């Protein structure tokens, strides 16, 4: 069989340089414009498919690594929780790859209130503590469950969902998204954190104007 | 030139049948399993890409036409509005084609309350009357405008939006979606129309339990 | 339960500002580069996924509304019909969202001749009058039907289709597409409205050269 | 370094079986339901994403190979040409993979008349002879060129295009598609090879009824 | 304003049941065939887009939660490592949602050898210990870096990559994928763990037959 | 019937110019920004969906034709083979269209060694000679077969595959890809043709350091 399949090494002993150049020719077209990734050039305008790509010659291993999720978010606030994203804007290496992550810190009593991600499904991984999480379907059915360390839960794209620290200590979770730019619409902010007139909010939520005005005051809204 | 491009008709005078069969061979592979559409067989289980296809031999022009949007919805209700969908479930011809429609009837004072479509962008066309419509972005910015007859407005995928009859008479609109199965999550139903415990709703919306319980009673929720 | 779920409002009475800032931190990452839409910057070069996005800070509600479909097209022409598009080029708000609209005006006897949309499926909604519409499948089967006010019909992507005013008065329709840039290839223009040599047209359509040359003369073609 | 990276082989001398089982565990989840391909089970109903998959345990190398393109098509017909497809229906191994092929045989004077593929872009490779090929864009611009052996030409999705043997001998080409089910709509068949009434064809093509009726007779149409 | 926007609650005091039924009508179309998710029915044949959906009426919150990643994998093997997947086959709730997870356990000296995921990009999150991870691009450039607790690294779709425990203690990581069925091709198994003849492996890898035969013996291959 | 469907030609005799302008209006929106293709402007930065488009006014038929595959690759090298690509970088007309081609020349004894295309499925067409080709699945099953002239074989996305000239003369093949930018990762180059430290290669491939260092020397790697 050796005569039919002379190995590269046996051949190479005789003719190293010719092989090297031969292979270079074979593979040379990989070096030019072809790319397997598209690290975001955040200074250029976005497109519907993501940001234009940084030049490959400027890309280093640092573009594919992000350390921002290693730092606990500040939960010294009323919701006793923090979300730290690693989306394209923070982690340009995921641009165009259909994936991103975020860190959830929940102090005792902490809550990530009802929210949606318009452009992605999400999987929550509980790394510490106990989290009660759930979502509501288009059929208005609610699916919720208490998750322990190591449990994962999936939240289908675009549906309202929440996470509550239901344990006695702090909780830590990481969420993965099926998009590099999943979006985040926090319900209370969407309703009460902008200038949408109270009259319209009332008509479209069935809450009474007094409640709306109070929440607008708290959440920075006006009108 | 005639000698280079004898026309089909001149040739056909001499040899009609041979041509017919020749063409039949050329095109015969189109007749078997190839299909340009996939009318939903709603009795089969759904898949992530839509329902399995009805056999082509059973498909007629009726599968591609739907008359249900020609009938005004019943607006004799408290929101004085009705939504009539033509999604895959009602109109199997759109299965797999990335498009669907719905009709909006708004009586005087009618409102389509805040809702999202988890899987589609939407364009509203005002056919009669005046509609105030708007949506909220992930950045909590609200974009809303009063639309007159003939105006169209786009609501990007997954974002909270609403439509209000802001005129003196009835209003009629048609909405188009970028999916055959856009989904519909009406905010008040998602929050108050199911068995999600009041305690959890309170924690995740910042509304007080008394308000929640009242709305649950009205909207058919429990817990 | 109140002790477990103090409401936002009861808490807010004591500490409004801290809450406001806490929430701001939670949501701050939504304000930067993340976007749920991509209003086309038509002055920049197109990409395979659509035009680059206008800066979010410059986007207003006007970018999501278009009034051009409210005006009847001019049907004082031989086909007694007009198509008014609201594609990305006219309505930059739909860029990247996989949806667009157009208006069809058909005077008495008006016809939208055979055409295709290379990149989209279409749904026609009849708003006024009676329209006979149909399409031909890859298997050469024709599906056509007379549509009345309120009827909708779907035309699967890329297939030849037509619309004819088959009523006694004018007809008005709106068509929705599953792409922001559906394309439009009108058969007669494709065959006779350009410089494709008559000889080639004859060979590839089986029409005789005299007919082709006449139609070229009428439709602005040469060769 | 050797102490830090004992090679598999040095270790394997001591403990072959344990390694084997250890690796088996590591990779065991690959053996069950995961699949990298989906050979079509043509007896099951199609779906919008393609046919359901044949059981992996029944798949062999034969499912990924097709010999049907090795046989010349019969060009003894009036168009002196033949198209031999290798789409999902003929070659189930491409199901779901977004690619397929076809063979074009063109005898002297042979023509593939104007046609579209509703669901795919196409690249033509000329293997023998000389082919004049072209397409028409949505802007009615025609792009056509004479291709020699080894030349390739791309026809963007959904646009009308043609191929003509413009040489003195036979021509052979192979076309690749960006879909396993590209569809094929041959213009003359779509217009004249079915039961679409002559009156409608006339209105939507601007051809005169006499011409239409003649072509219908030739191409197997009625009405 | 109160007269223009009577709140739901004030109205509800008078007419609870009518409202309930009115809303039911509005939302009723959500209850039928529409679904926002597609929990895999693993007993049915797969399709190119994923498994057919379990009936919605049989879906519970348990379908969206998976506890299998909470258990450490068995690293008592030669590579001192284990991969525990939560793909569609293990976690049917992710079917069709474009996302999945896996757990990586690396004992001291543990290694996940070179492998690819044919259908997904991956993000690694280091939860414990220190991991040296890297990938090679189409241009043969290698990007690798030592990651500490909390660091994340992205591996673009289809590229060869590896993970090595480079710390003094055990390491734990979780990987997220941009597909519910990412696939996994472990290089050594692909080359040496099957019946591909030694002669062919030699020709296509440039390794010598003796080395190949030894590795085949170890990894369960033959030929 | 003639009175109901006056033909274009009969009408045109009376009023040529009005028709011409009328049609121009109908079709005018096709001429502006709408495009059916996106010829790559290779000087602009790439995006995740491909390169920005060359201005339509500068596009000619030459942009859709490529002659580079008509020239045999140089097989005077140790693998006795050559790959000549027609990807976006060489053939800008395929940008964004999901398809590309390449030419394979295999002299007697020639081999295209194990490689993957991270972003595309591939179909091989044998035009001359005999080629033994195969791929390995995620389940480590190998599928390989000897192909003769006219045979085609599909290699699903991202999987390791190879091609060997198994005949007595030269062999010629053409491969089609389901992407305009399929990528190419040649296994030996990925492992031995870069600066990845020998220690890491040994740990992640189970090859011994001496073999690795020799191959690195041959293939241009270091470390």
């Amino acid at each position: 069989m050796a005569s039919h399949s002379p190995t590269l090494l046996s051949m190479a002993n005789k003719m190293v340089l010719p092989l090297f150049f031969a292979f270079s020719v074979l593979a040379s077209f990989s070096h030019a414009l072809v790319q397997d990734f598209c690290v975001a050039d955040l200074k250029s305008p976005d497109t519907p498919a993501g940001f234009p790509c940084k030049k490959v010659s400027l890309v280093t291993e640092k573009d594919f690594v992000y350390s921002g999720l290693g730092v606990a978010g500040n939960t010294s606030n009323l919701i006793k929780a923090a979300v730290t994203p690693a989306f394209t804007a923070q982690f340009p290496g995921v641009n165009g790859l259909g994936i991103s992550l975020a860190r959830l810190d929940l102090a005792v009593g902490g809550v990530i209130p009802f929210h949606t991600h318009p452009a992605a499904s999400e999987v929550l991984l509980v790394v510490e503590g106990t989290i009660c999480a759930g979502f509501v379907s288009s059929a208005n059915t609610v699916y919720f469950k208490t998750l322990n360390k190591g449990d994962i839960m999936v939240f289908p794209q675009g549906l309202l969902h929440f996470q509550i620290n239901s344990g006695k200590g702090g909780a830590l979770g990481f969420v993965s998204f099926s998009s590099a730019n999943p979006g985040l619409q926090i319900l209370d902010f969407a309703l009460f954190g902008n200038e949408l007139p109270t009259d319209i909010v009332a008509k479209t939520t069935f809450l009474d104007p007094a409640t709306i005005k109070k929440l607008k005051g708290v959440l920075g809204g006006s009108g």
Side-chain angles (χ1 to χ4, degrees), chain A:
Chain A
M1 186 175 61
S3 63
H4 290 89
S5 63
T7 69
L8 181 66
L9 290 181
S10 65
M11 294 187 296
N13 288 339
K14 302 171 203 158
M15 44 194 346
V16 169
L17 281 182
L19 176 67
F20 176 66
F21 285 114
F23 265 104
S24 295
V25 170
L26 174 65
S28 63
F29 65 89
S30 305
H31 291 277
L33 286 156
V34 176
Q35 55 184 295
D36 320 291
F37 45 74
C38 179
V39 176
D41 170 9
L42 296 175
K43 291 175 189 159
S44 292
D46 205 355
T47 78
F51 284 88
C53 316
K54 191 174 171 176
K55 277 191 179 179
V56 175
S57 58
L58 300 177
V59 170
T60 73
E61 70 279 6
K62 292 178 186 171
D63 287 298
F64 300 107
V65 177
Y66 183 62
S67 295
L69 301 195
V71 182
N74 183 354
T75 60
S76 299
N77 53 50
L78 269 187
I79 62 163
K80 298 171 181 167
V83 178
T84 308
F87 299 171
T88 297
Q90 296 81 30
F91 184 20
V94 294
N95 186 49
L97 296 181
I99 192 164
S100 61
L101 260 63
R103 173 187 177 124
L104 304 187
D105 289 281
L106 296 121
V108 177
V111 174
I112 309 293
F114 260 120
H115 63 284
T116 61
H117 305 286
S121 291
E122 169 185 334
V123 174
L124 165 66
L125 165 73
V126 179
V127 168
E128 286 176 23
T130 304
I131 294 177
C132 173
F135 71 89
V136 185
S137 75
S138 277
N140 298 319
T141 304
V142 59
Y143 300 91
F144 71 107
K145 201 161 188 309
T146 298
L147 309 172
N148 297 307
K149 183 177 173 176
D151 287 350
I152 61 176
M153 180 168 185
V154 63
F155 307 92
Q157 179 171 333
L159 298 178
L160 279 165
H161 60 287
F162 63 86
Q163 288 103 7
I164 300 173
N165 182 347
S166 57
K168 295 183 178 176
L172 174 62
F174 288 89
V175 285
S176 306
F177 298 98
S178 63
S179 165
N181 183 17
L184 168 59
Q185 181 158 61
I186 302 170
L187 181 57
D188 278 82
F189 260 85
L191 297 179
F192 310 119
N194 50 44
E195 77 275 25
L196 188 61
T198 296
D199 185 39
I200 290 180
V201 180
K203 280 179 176 164
T204 54
T205 62
F206 305 120
L207 297 171
D208 65 275
T211 298
I212 293 164
K213 282 181 176 290
K214 277 189 189 170
L215 285 163
K216 275 181 168 284
V218 172
L219 292 166
S222 60

